[in-house]
Amino acid sequence: MQMSFGQLVYKWLLKPYYVASLFMSVAFLMIRKTPGICEHLSTQREDGNPCDFDWREVEILMFLSAIVMMKNRRAITVEQHVGNIILFSKVANVILFFRLDIRMGLLYLTLCIVFLMTCKPPLYMGPEYIKYFSDKTIDDELERDSRVTWIVEFFANWSPECQSFAAVYADLSLKYNCAGLKFGKVDIGRYGDVSKKYKVSTSPLSKQLPSLLLFQGGKEVMRRPQVDKKCRAVSWSFTEENIIREFNLNELYQKSKKLNKSKGDKSDKINESQFPPLPEEEEPEVDAKEEETKKDK
């Protein structure tokens, strides 16, 4: 039984990286609420109960919750929502642990740094119809057939935005890939020459990652996000709806299907022309003398 796209995403979120991040995000909550541990913690509550949040801790949590809500308004995938929650939860934990005890704050901060340096978010490994280019293959593939339209994602593995967008791009490739409309990716974090040639900056300050470029006849037709005069990306949301609308994928897909049919018709004609027609069978000629002898008999 084949899993749906949503099930694959949630299975992806259950990987060890996200599970460990979840435990780190609720570390202060567990210590503050766990009997046998919370009794040894200091508190500023008037009732002196060390196993409950004081007013300052509640204030810090409410403030960071508001920031998470604001950040998640621009999030487009489940991974981005979860990533924002985990990130700001860790920030809240650092502040709360330092306020509680500087030794606990230093221990938690060290743990976060070690985790950041040793553990990376898992790359998307779900189904996709995407061709991966290198610096040596991208030009040849884009120019191979002028009738084929290419949508190419310029990405870098270290970019959180690219990692979050991977599932959305894969889903689009599953829906729209055909003979005349193809999807590709190139890692410009690895191939710097490609980054320079197609003028896609890998600098985090430029906010150009990821970038989607549309190629027709081997030439760039459009890109998102657009770039201003200061080489900074104009704010644009990489939602599936925005990509379908801006790149006119539905119309491109319909044209590409017609191209696919015309290719099939031409191939049939070529196959027929490869074989010469069979010669017609000729009736054997009968000698006139033989016919007369038969009549006399």
Side-chain angles (χ1 to χ4, degrees), residues 62-130:
M62 291 294 290
F63 176 71
L64 287 168
S65 297
I67 294 177
V68 170
M69 291 177 65
M70 291 176 63
K71 290 289 290 183
N72 275 345
R73 289 177 62 184
R74 298 186 62 183
I76 58 175
T77 64
V78 176
E79 296 80 18
Q80 284 183 325
H81 283 281
V82 173
N84 287 334
I85 293 170
I86 289 173
L87 173 62
F88 288 101
S89 296
K90 289 178 180 177
V91 172
N93 275 269
V94 170
I95 296 171
L96 292 170
F97 274 123
F98 267 105
R99 183 176 173 274
L100 182 65
D101 188 326
I102 190 171
R103 294 169 296 179
M104 297 181 70
L106 288 171
L107 178 62
Y108 183 81
L109 181 60
T110 303
L111 183 63
C112 287
I113 293 172
V114 171
F115 182 81
L116 181 64
M117 294 178 66
T118 57
C119 301
K120 301 295 182 183
L123 298 177
Y124 178 78
M125 299 299 291
E128 59 184 25
Y129 287 134
I130 297 173

Side-chain angles (χ1 to χ4, degrees), residues 51-63:
C51 294
D52 205 354
F53 297 116
D54 60 41
W55 67 274
R56 181 64 70 181
E57 291 170 348
V58 173
E59 192 176 58
I60 292 169
L61 291 171
M62 291 294 290
F63 176 71

Side-chain angles (χ1 to χ4, degrees), residues 93-297:
N93 275 269
V94 170
I95 296 171
L96 292 170
F97 274 123
F98 267 105
R99 183 176 173 274
L100 182 65
D101 188 326
I102 190 171
R103 294 169 296 179
M104 297 181 70
L106 288 171
L107 178 62
Y108 183 81
L109 181 60
T110 303
L111 183 63
C112 287
I113 293 172
V114 171
F115 182 81
L116 181 64
M117 294 178 66
T118 57
C119 301
K120 301 295 182 183
L123 298 177
Y124 178 78
M125 299 299 291
E128 59 184 25
Y129 287 134
I130 297 173
K131 186 173 183 62
Y132 286 79
F133 299 129
S134 69
D135 54 345
K136 297 178 180 179
T137 61
I138 182 169
D139 295 334
D140 292 337
E141 287 292 340
L142 294 178
E143 297 172 2
R144 187 184 299 276
D145 189 342
S146 60
R147 296 171 299 175
V148 175
T149 298
W150 280 94
I151 297 177
V152 182
E153 179 194 355
F154 289 70
F155 76 103
N157 279 326
W158 50 261
S159 168
E161 290 79 9
C162 295
Q163 293 166 3
S164 301
F165 180 61
V168 176
Y169 192 57
D171 192 35
L172 285 170
S173 73
L174 293 173
K175 292 177 180 177
Y176 290 97
N177 182 80
C178 61
L181 177 60
K182 296 184 179 181
F183 292 77
K185 292 180 76 167
V186 58
D187 185 357
I188 57 174
R190 181 179 179 184
Y191 303 113
D193 293 340
V194 178
S195 171
K196 293 176 183 177
K197 179 175 181 178
Y198 291 95
K199 298 179 181 179
V200 181
S201 174
T202 56
S203 170
L205 297 176
S206 69
K207 296 183 178 180
Q208 294 186 34
L209 294 177
S211 282
L212 283 183
L213 276 67
L214 179 70
F215 293 92
Q216 290 181 332
K219 297 181 180 179
E220 179 186 339
V221 177
M222 64 175 291
R223 70 168 62 194
R224 292 293 183 273
Q226 294 177 316
V227 181
D228 59 20
K229 295 180 180 179
K230 296 181 179 179
C231 295
R232 292 182 181 178
V234 178
S235 180
W236 194 72
S237 182
F238 279 86
T239 62
E240 186 171 320
E241 294 77 13
N242 279 352
I243 295 169
I244 293 172
R245 183 180 65 254
E246 292 287 326
F247 288 85
N248 207 5
L249 286 186
N250 290 322
E251 185 177 342
L252 280 175
Y253 181 68
Q254 294 300 324
K255 290 180 179 179
S256 300
K257 285 200 300 184
K258 292 179 182 178
L259 175 63
N260 194 20
K261 289 180 180 178
S262 64
K263 282 184 177 181
D265 295 339
K266 288 180 180 178
S267 63
D268 291 340
K269 290 179 180 178
I270 292 170
N271 291 333
E272 288 175 3
S273 63
Q274 288 176 348
F275 301 98
L278 294 174
E280 295 182 0
E281 293 184 359
E282 296 180 357
E283 294 182 0
E285 294 183 357
V286 182
D287 194 1
K289 291 183 178 180
E290 291 182 1
E291 287 185 358
E292 288 179 358
T293 53
K294 287 180 182 179
K295 287 180 181 179
D296 294 339
K297 289 180 180 180

